[in-house]
């Protein structure tokens, strides 16, 4: 089965509404010839509707960077999946390593957010990845297995159609130290094998697994041409159309 490549830009805490409008417009203008690759922009919450207005008549998708699991109530500062959906977003990133590292995210809360997002009809980009210490101690596979199993706990095969997994080794995020294509491929294949065990071979074959961590125009080709790498979750390089669009073009020509 040929999986459609998916390139997502995680804008993190960058871009006020005016900068967001400009960046989304530049990406829109430069991607009119992209016909196969899925593109997703994930601006901060405040810019979701602004970016939605720019891209609504294109095939570019919109995603949020987090979601809370309750539907409504006294949860100051939080946003429900329905609220995110009503901003025009179709996707949400869950379990990013920065949320795990700085905001106490656990596999259990990742799972609650994932379920709430899916129930509201959002698609989820579920992030997993090991730290440098964990890689050096030789426990990468165990760490990633626990994160994938915990994050997906209780999901049906049908719900798996709305899941994208992003493998983002923490040591490669924002460091300029990219995983080699072989290192990334090894973990991607491992994740796919695990999903086959947890579900079945059809679910595993259809699942898209993105790589994230210092993806740039000059390393995109070699990463994206690996058999189990189905796209990229891009941080730094997604903040400029000049560096984000070439990554999309790399995916498009494969
Ligand atoms: P960088 O591309 O800046 O390393 O960030 C990757 C990332 O965290 C995307 O979610």
């Amino acid at each position: 089965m040929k999986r459609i490549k998916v390139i997502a830009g995680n804008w993190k805490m960058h871009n006020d509404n005016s900068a967001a409008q400009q960046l989304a417009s530049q990406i829109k203008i430069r991607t009119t010839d992209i016909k196969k690759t899925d593109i997703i922009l994930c601006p901060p919450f405040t810019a979701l509707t602004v970016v939605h207005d720019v891209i609504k008549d294109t095939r570019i998708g919109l995603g949020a960077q987090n979601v809370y699991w309750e539907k409504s109530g006294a949860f100051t500062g939080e946003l429900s999946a329905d609220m995110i959906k009503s901003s025009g977003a179709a996707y949400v990133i869950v379990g990013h390593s920065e949320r795990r590292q700085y905001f106490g995210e656990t596999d259990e809360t990742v799972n609650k957010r994932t379920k709430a997002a899916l129930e509201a009809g959002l698609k989820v980009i579920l992030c997993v990845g090991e730290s440098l210490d964990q890689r050096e101690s030789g426990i990468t596979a165990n760490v990633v297995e626990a994160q994938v199993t915990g994050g997906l706990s209780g999901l049906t095969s049908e719900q798996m159609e709305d899941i994208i997994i992003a493998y983002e080794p923490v040591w490669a995020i924002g460091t300029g130290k990219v995983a080699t294509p072989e290192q990334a491929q090894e973990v991607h294949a491992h994740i796919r094998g695990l999903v086959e065990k947890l579900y079945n071979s059809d679910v595993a074959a259809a699942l898209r697994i993105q790589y994230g961590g210092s993806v740039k125009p000059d390393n995109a080709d070699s990463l994206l041409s690996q058999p189990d790498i189905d796209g990229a979750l891009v941080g730094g390089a997604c903040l400029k159309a000049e560096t984000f669009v070439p990554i999309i073009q790399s995916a498009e020509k494969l």
Side-chain angles (χ1 to χ4, degrees):
M1 174 191 289
K2 181 133 168 70
R3 293 177 292 270
I4 295 167
K5 295 265 194 267
V6 53
I7 307 295
N10 176 6
W11 294 14
K12 308 193 180 182
M13 198 172 74
H14 294 284
N15 292 324
D16 63 14
N17 284 356
S18 135
Q21 209 262 349
Q22 276 181 38
L23 177 57
S25 305
Q26 286 166 4
I27 293 168
K28 173 180 161 172
I29 293 163
R30 290 169 191 231
T31 53
T32 49
D33 57 342
I34 301 295
K35 303 288 183 232
K36 300 184 297 192
T37 307
D38 288 338
I39 307 166
I40 307 169
L41 307 185
C42 303
F45 289 132
T46 43
L48 283 170
T49 51
V50 170
V51 173
H52 180 248
D53 272 354
V54 175
I55 62 175
K56 61 177 185 283
D57 55 345
T58 71
R59 45 190 302 287
I60 302 174
L62 182 67
Q65 297 174 18
N66 192 19
V67 60
Y68 192 53
W69 54 82
E70 294 288 349
K71 283 188 181 307
S72 64
F75 303 104
T76 303
E78 294 300 319
L79 293 166
S80 73
D82 284 333
M83 289 170 182
I84 288 168
K85 213 166 167 227
S86 76
S87 71
Y91 297 86
V92 62
I93 298 173
V94 171
H96 191 279
S97 66
E98 286 148 19
R99 300 231 46 100
R100 294 178 190 259
Q101 221 175 322
Y102 309 133
F103 302 101
E105 195 80 70
T106 64
D107 291 330
E108 196 188 342
T109 57
V110 167
N111 183 244
K112 284 170 136 180
R113 291 179 211 280
T114 300
K115 284 180 171 158
L118 293 173
E119 275 161 25
L122 291 168
K123 296 181 198 298
V124 170
I125 300 177
L126 173 65
C127 303
V128 299
E130 81 288 2
S131 66
L132 185 58
D133 271 3
Q134 291 166 331
R135 174 158 284 263
E136 286 176 346
S137 324
I139 57 168
T140 297
N142 313 44
V143 169
V144 169
E145 260 180 45
Q147 290 172 335
V148 170
T149 309
L152 299 178
S153 173
L155 300 196
T156 64
S157 301
E158 205 182 6
Q159 286 178 310
M160 286 299 291
E161 291 170 17
D162 290 331
I163 297 280
I164 295 170
I165 291 180
Y167 167 59
E168 299 202 303
V170 178
W171 48 271
I173 295 179
T175 58
K177 256 198 234 165
V178 64
T180 64
E182 295 72 28
Q183 281 174 323
Q185 165 59 27
E186 186 185 13
V187 180
H188 282 232
H190 190 74
I191 293 172
R192 201 176 303 287
L194 173 63
V195 169
E196 179 166 350
K197 273 193 240 151
L198 294 173
Y199 293 90
N200 56 53
S201 56
D202 288 347
V203 170
L207 175 72
R208 293 189 290 178
I209 308 175
Q210 297 175 306
Y211 168 79
S214 298
V215 177
K216 309 281 178 226
D218 64 0
N219 57 32
D221 277 354
S222 58
L223 288 161
L224 293 170
S225 54
Q226 295 296 312
D228 287 292
I229 301 186
D230 307 308
L233 181 55
V234 185
C238 82
L239 297 174
K240 286 200 164 65
E242 303 88 83
T243 43
F244 188 51
V245 174
I247 297 170
I248 301 168
Q249 288 163 341
S250 281
E252 181 78 358
K253 65 174 200 264
L254 287 168

